[in-house]
Amino acid sequence: MAIDPLDNPLQKASAQDGTPGMPPDLVRFDHVVKRFGDHVVLDRLDFGVQRGKHVTLIGPSGSGKTTILRLLMTLERVSDGVIWVDGEPLSHMRGPDGELRPASEKYLRGARRKIGMVFQQFNLFPNMKVLQNIMEAPVNVLGIGREEAEARARELLDLVGLSDKVDAHPSQLSGGQQQRVAIARALAMRPEILLLDEVTSALDPELVAGVLDLLRDIARTTDITMLCVTHEMGFARDISDQVLMFDAGRVIESGPPEKIFSDPERDRTREFLSAVL
Ligand code: ADP
Ligand code: MG
């Protein structure tokens, strides 16, 4: 894919340089391109998530949804374009003259603190007990004292209904319980944005509802911003302020869930929904 040099957001962003024009969204993808070799996965992707909103990304398998979340989690680097979080560049940092340059590792470590992610495959630390799994990052990344981190971890375990599992190892838990721990672990960092990547896809069917109920509770009772990838359309309908239909590297349609699920504009959206609903 050729990228139009006149349409280069790096130049636009550096020209704007902290002036009005800066995106007001908590998260903004500005012409983000992600390539793996020659394969263009995200093709000048533009979208935003406003603070406190719950946004769901839907779209076919292999279309790049996980890549979007991994870019936000700084587990991948953009090929082009800029990701903004809270008005600051995430993918980039400012040079001495305010121009944007690729972010250093150190900058990324700071920038990613606002963001928590829960993965399809839980990804708990297998050698640590449940309590340590939750305390690890607050202590070692945020520098919170052990006592405070432990008190918070216990509170979160209570929230996710696993107070009796503090001393268990992940292998002693069901998938649903492991995913609850992973949710508690993400919340322990007090992120401003919670990224959820098909968090119930790897669960046995009877465990799905409990995890979705927990997430509904979190969506209802906290002001955390959520960006969620899911194939659970009922859940998406319940929690979403906005649904983005993603295909071929771009958002092709977006709107409130009632609109997208009941009366989509695009044939591609209709086709996709009829395959998954
Ligand atoms: P989705 O989550 O929508 O199913 P992904 O973001 O996982 O899609 O993947 C989008 C595309 O990018 C797929 O074709 C996948 O094979 C490719 N891809 C993802 N990660 C990598 C990687 N690290 N290296 C090469 N290709 C990748
Ligand atoms: Mg995925």
Side-chain angles (χ1 to χ4, degrees), residues 14-222:
S14 52
Q16 283 174 5
D17 189 23
T19 44
M22 279 275 282
D25 296 317
L26 181 57
V27 172
R28 170 139 289 281
F29 276 55
D30 187 7
H31 267 50
V32 170
V33 176
K34 180 61 183 174
R35 290 182 220 101
F36 292 108
D38 290 339
H39 182 186
V40 178
V41 177
L42 307 183
D43 177 13
R44 288 164 292 170
L45 175 66
D46 289 316
F47 76 92
V49 179
Q50 289 174 333
R51 186 182 291 280
K53 298 290 186 199
H54 307 139
V55 174
T56 300
L57 270 170
I58 61 172
S61 187
S63 64
K65 303 178 302 297
T66 293
T67 301
I68 293 172
L69 300 189
R70 288 176 55 83
L71 283 167
L72 262 172
M73 202 57 205
T74 73
L75 297 169
E76 298 283 353
R77 298 262 190 155
V78 298
S79 307
D80 205 344
V82 184
I83 301 172
W84 301 88
V85 174
D86 208 4
E88 292 293 320
L90 174 80
S91 52
H92 293 71
M93 57 191 204
R94 292 192 186 280
D97 300 320
E99 81 283 7
L100 295 181
R101 46 170 71 176
S104 66
E105 274 306 319
K106 179 159 177 265
Y107 181 87
L108 289 178
R109 276 199 297 279
R112 77 165 69 99
R113 284 182 190 183
K114 292 181 180 167
I115 304 165
M117 182 160 174
V118 182
F119 301 85
Q120 192 173 339
Q121 297 292 346
F122 328 138
N123 296 359
L124 295 177
F125 306 119
N127 55 334
M128 288 182 199
K129 291 179 177 178
V130 163
L131 192 69
Q132 275 71 48
N133 258 280
I134 300 174
M135 290 172 57
E136 164 70 19
V139 169
N140 292 312
V141 179
L142 299 183
I144 292 174
R146 297 199 73 84
E147 221 164 277
E148 188 188 337
E150 180 172 335
R152 169 83 175 144
R154 288 180 185 276
E155 255 171 52
L156 285 165
L157 280 173
D158 191 33
L159 173 81
V160 302
L162 290 177
S163 291
D164 55 334
K165 300 293 182 191
V166 276
D167 289 323
H169 277 92
S171 62
Q172 297 168 307
L173 303 179
S174 72
Q177 290 170 332
Q178 290 185 57
Q179 198 55 300
R180 287 161 183 275
V181 174
I183 292 166
R185 184 178 62 174
L187 293 175
M189 294 294 279
R190 298 185 188 277
E192 291 183 36
I193 311 154
L194 185 61
L195 310 178
L196 301 168
D197 191 8
E198 295 194 40
V199 298
T200 58
S201 296
L203 297 180
D204 291 334
E206 75 271 23
L207 302 176
V208 169
V211 170
L212 294 181
D213 282 344
L214 170 63
L215 292 171
R216 279 192 189 90
D217 270 354
I218 292 169
R220 205 182 55 237
T221 57
T222 71

Side-chain angles (χ1 to χ4, degrees), residues 242-261:
Q242 198 189 15
V243 177
L244 308 178
M245 171 69 196
F246 177 80
D247 190 35
R250 296 196 175 197
V251 172
I252 61 164
E253 175 165 9
S254 69
E258 315 80 70
K259 170 76 180 147
I260 299 287
F261 291 127

